[in-house]
Amino acid sequence: MPTFLSDFSRRVRKGKHPQDDLDEDDGDDGAHSADSPSTSISTPSTPSKVRSLFQAPDLSRGRISMSSTPSSSREELNDRAGDRFIPSRMPSDVRANYNLIPKGGPSSPTRPRTLVAGDSDALKEQANRTFQELLTTELFSDSAVASSPSSKSASSSLLASPSRRQASSSRGSSIPSISTPPQTPTKRQRVFEYTSPSRSRVRDVASNSGLDSPHNEVYSMTPIKDESQRLLLSPRKTLRVVSKTPYKVLDAPDLADDFYLNLLDWSSTNLLGVGLGSCVYLWSAHTGKVIKLCELSLEDPITSLSWVQKGSTLAIGTNRGLVHIWDAERREHLRTMEGHTARIGTLAWSNSTLCTGSRDRSILLRDVRAPAQHHSRLSYHRQEVCGLKWSTHDSHTLASGGNDNKLYVWDTRGSSAAGGDGLIPLWKFHEHQAAVKALAWAPNTTNLLASGGGTQDKRLRFWNTLNGTLIQEIDTGSQVCNLTWSTNSNELLSTHGFSSTRAQNQVCIWNYPSLDQTATFSGHTHRVLYLAMSPDGQTVVTGAGDETLRFWKAFPPRKEDKRHDQLENMLGQIR
């Protein structure tokens, strides 16, 4: 029988070392000429690109190279290189490798996907969660999953974002911390087993679970496990799709890029007020018209404004510490109130009581009906007061945040401190590590206060003001500028500025109490410093240093509004 030899075998039989082809390709003709002796000792320097195809030679000892004829070209060497794949026979732990897969790792190249404006982060999270459970069910046996209940939570913790892991740990979840990498088990086990359905196996299956069950694996017509089929066929929770593009964008020239100011507010009469430089402009949501309410002195620009809860009364704070009260419906200036020695960065109404916070570190409580300038002064903050919010469930509980990283809760009915006219704080919270401007009281839960910290803090914290305890917190990864609760759902909206990640200047919707992100909005090129919500609770408007106002459909309508719309549709069809 004829014997077929490869090129490599022929060279070996002729006494030629395979490394000589590499030397010949280098073009070193002097070392391997035809006149050279038959045997010579040399230590050539092989290029790294060619040497990487084979095992690196040992250059510490000499090598005997035989004289030979140079090869024709480098392409012949590449043609002779084999493409056989030799798999690794080293034992491995599939579960360990699976848990160590990083989120967003390398994937097969695909066509770039165009993001649709209606895509929701919650939909993506639900799809990822379903795929995670399906993959775990298919890869690992039921006994392995049952014996290690923490494997699912551990893998989910590894694949989750840092903010989600922080939120889970702060809520007291039972997810264990993985400090050491998983190790390969000492006993080698087969991950996949292929067997034919023998009679003994059928008898074993029949004796264990019985053939009367329609879910028995003997009757399965698909390679997918029964648990996976139930997971895929189970009904999914209906998630709300939020549009990620603003439906309206307005120019706001001279809108200040200052974190400590509050220049945007939406009234109960559907008028949007914005302070631009030394002027106040009103935008009507009904007609879309813009009017100028007032124009102050150029030396005294506007630093804050706020509408009364019900009505058309507008309070305007200035850089010199003055408060101007205006009737927007009649465009009439009612009065000017004094008391502060520095700019007024924040205002808050509670019926006829107006609360003002200033850079002079004091808070003044005023009754706009009384002739007195103020009736109480709160002087516990050590730096500028930049956040004020009255409770939505009573008219006497006030929350204040300052640039001193402090958050105070006040009961304005409390007794006065000895020797002064200031009230004593009901609670003092010192957990924030940056300025506390973002404050919001939950409208559907009593005694629940949300607060957000600045650039050095980046955290959302939720407080129980009944007993003064911290409920939970989450690291948002960016400066928290504003907060507002939805009046129609259990959701919270936050605006952000400086960030330690790529995602900056975002608007985020959080589901409470799970703190899952329902959606994130992007579009502003500067910090989103200003926020206001429409009277119906569906639309929010954001303002930033890029001098634009963007309107977002952030929250669902009220249930009463849904019933009213459905009734109108039914009556229209009957007609």
Side-chain angles (χ1 to χ4, degrees), residues 128 154 210 256 263 279 406 480 543:
N128 293 336
L263 300 175
C279 302
K406 301 297 188 296
V480 184

Side-chain angles (χ1 to χ4, degrees), residues 16-33:
K16 180 181 179 181
H17 197 280
Q19 187 68 20
D20 292 343
D21 287 338
L22 303 181
D23 300 334
E24 293 167 1
D25 290 339
D26 293 344
D28 191 1
D29 299 333
H32 304 284
S33 61

Side-chain angles (χ1 to χ4, degrees), residues 140-185:
F140 308 132
S141 61
D142 299 338
S143 59
V145 175
S147 62
S148 179
S150 62
S151 61
K152 179 179 178 182
S153 59
S155 61
S156 302
S157 176
L158 286 175
L159 297 177
S161 61
S163 60
R164 292 284 303 277
R165 292 199 297 266
Q166 177 66 26
S168 302
S169 61
S170 61
R171 291 196 299 268
S173 62
S174 60
I175 297 178
S177 60
I178 304 178
S179 57
T180 58
Q183 300 178 356
T184 304

Side-chain angles (χ1 to χ4, degrees), residues 261-263 302-306 315-318 344-347:
L261 306 186
N262 293 271
L263 300 175
I302 296 169
T303 55
S304 60
L305 56 83
S306 177
I316 304 172
T318 67
I344 300 175
T346 178
L347 302 167

Side-chain angles (χ1 to χ4, degrees), residues 5-24:
L5 299 177
S6 63
D7 295 340
F8 180 81
S9 301
R10 294 192 188 96
R11 291 196 304 273
V12 172
R13 289 197 174 191
K14 291 180 180 180
K16 180 181 179 181
H17 197 280
Q19 187 68 20
D20 292 343
D21 287 338
L22 303 181
D23 300 334
E24 293 167 1

Side-chain angles (χ1 to χ4, degrees), residues 120-135:
S120 174
D121 295 341
L123 294 175
K124 296 178 183 178
E125 289 187 4
Q126 186 186 51
N128 293 336
R129 195 180 305 112
T130 303
F131 177 75
Q132 182 85 8
E133 296 176 0
L134 179 64
L135 194 61

Side-chain angles (χ1 to χ4, degrees), residues 2 27 34 46 73 76 103 185 193 196 260 363-364 421 455 476 496 514 520 558:
T46 304
S73 62
E76 294 181 2
K103 183 177 180 181
E193 181 180 1
S196 301
Y260 301 98
I363 302 172
L364 297 182
D421 60 348
T455 306
T476 64
H496 300 272
S514 65
T520 56
R558 296 189 182 96

Side-chain angles (χ1 to χ4, degrees), residues 508-524:
C508 303
I509 301 179
W510 309 83
N511 190 0
Y512 187 83
S514 65
L515 295 183
D516 295 329
Q517 280 193 9
T518 304
T520 56
F521 307 142
S522 300
H524 285 290

